Amino acid sequence: MNVDIAEDVTRAHRALAHVGQSDMVWGHVSARDQDGRGVWMKAAGWGFEEVTRERVLLVSPGGEVLAGEGRRHLEYPIHTQLVAARPDVGAVVHSHAPAAAVFASLDIPLRALSHDAVPFLDPDIPRYTDSGDLIRDDAMGLALAQVVGDSAGALIPGHGFVVVGPNLAVAVMRAVLLERACRNHLSALAAGGPVRWSDESEIAAKRARVWSLDQYQAGYDYLLRRVHDTSH
């Protein structure tokens, strides 16, 4: 097994567990295999906080486990189809984080009430509405990838969300940011509804300035430090 990538994928899951995105044993993070053999992702049956390098699998585009021990997730096509459709994507996160799942049901635009929503608004985050069921085959995975298009991710009403990035740092941070953006918007709605948010020109400027690769990495490094501190 490629120990480095297995360790990287382990740390990515642990970072998401730290911010409360565990959903018992469901949801998953993947990293593209650099030799084109598929994706590295956790084995089925483990929570984000339980992932170790021994519980990370290499899954082929056809669903075969090429390295590691354990069962692969039924929803592996989310990951294999997205990396096939997007050469720029090096990592994928599928999460059932609750605020995003609730916000997806409202069918209203996500607004840039804070920096958190900025990566997703071009002009709005897409929604995959073909099904709220498990993304269990290549046809559904491809349909989801087509909805994501060139975006940073998509909401899946009745299910959760998916986000992508050039690497694990960006993908994990986008999962964190999307959940926070949806929670902020829900809070504003509960208070009577937002009346001010960043416009398109400000969003474009903030996308480059606030969410540069360095900024994503800084946020991810913080999460990894927190995971390390709480594990000792």
Side-chain angles (χ1 to χ4, degrees):
M1 181 183 294
N2 185 324
V3 174
D4 289 341
I5 191 65
E7 181 64 24
D8 290 344
V9 171
T10 296
R11 284 151 57 95
H13 283 93
R14 294 296 183 97
L16 286 173
H18 179 74
V19 295
Q21 290 203 24
S22 293
D23 179 20
M24 292 188 276
V25 299
W26 301 289
H28 14 80
V29 182
S30 72
R32 180 193 293 271
D33 178 65
Q34 294 306 304
D35 295 324
R37 295 172 294 175
V39 295
W40 294 87
M41 59 189 296
K42 77 176 180 69
W46 303 105
F48 285 3
E49 71 281 3
E50 297 179 305
V51 179
T52 63
R53 66 178 61 175
E54 294 78 20
R55 294 168 180 168
V56 174
L57 310 176
L58 173 60
V59 181
S60 77
E64 182 183 358
V65 176
L66 301 178
E69 296 183 3
R71 296 178 296 109
R72 55 127 171 103
H73 276 277
L74 182 66
E75 291 191 301
Y76 77 90
I78 291 175
H79 304 268
T80 54
Q81 290 296 320
L82 271 164
V83 299
R86 291 273 300 271
D88 62 311
V89 167
V92 178
V93 176
H94 171 52
S95 170
H96 302 152
V102 171
F103 185 82
S105 74
L106 300 179
D107 200 25
I108 61 175
L110 182 63
R111 300 298 189 188
L113 309 185
S114 64
H115 296 331
D116 305 295
V118 165
F120 310 101
L121 305 186
D122 195 19
D124 189 17
I125 185 167
R127 283 171 169 82
Y128 171 79
T129 57
D130 288 0
S131 174
D133 201 348
L134 298 177
I135 311 298
R136 59 191 182 274
D137 57 40
D138 285 344
M140 296 178 78
L142 177 59
L144 174 61
Q146 290 171 337
V147 169
V148 173
D150 294 330
S151 300
L155 295 170
I156 311 173
H159 190 160
F161 69 79
V162 63
V163 292
V164 300
N167 54 38
L168 285 164
V170 175
V172 168
M173 280 297 296
R174 283 177 173 170
V176 174
L177 295 173
L178 182 55
E179 173 70 354
R180 294 193 340 182
C182 291
R183 188 184 305 121
N184 288 345
H185 202 140
L186 291 172
S187 296
L189 291 171
V195 295
R196 294 187 179 87
W197 49 81
S198 294
D199 61 20
E200 291 184 10
S201 62
E202 186 168 76
I203 288 170
K206 289 170 75 173
R207 187 177 293 117
R209 184 163 44 247
V210 178
W211 294 119
S212 65
L213 288 177
D214 286 346
Q215 289 289 80
Y216 280 120
Q217 188 66 51
Y220 188 56
D221 289 344
Y222 167 79
L223 293 178
L224 295 182
R225 290 196 301 272
R226 297 298 300 135
V227 170
H228 177 79
D229 290 347
T230 57
S231 63
H232 288 76

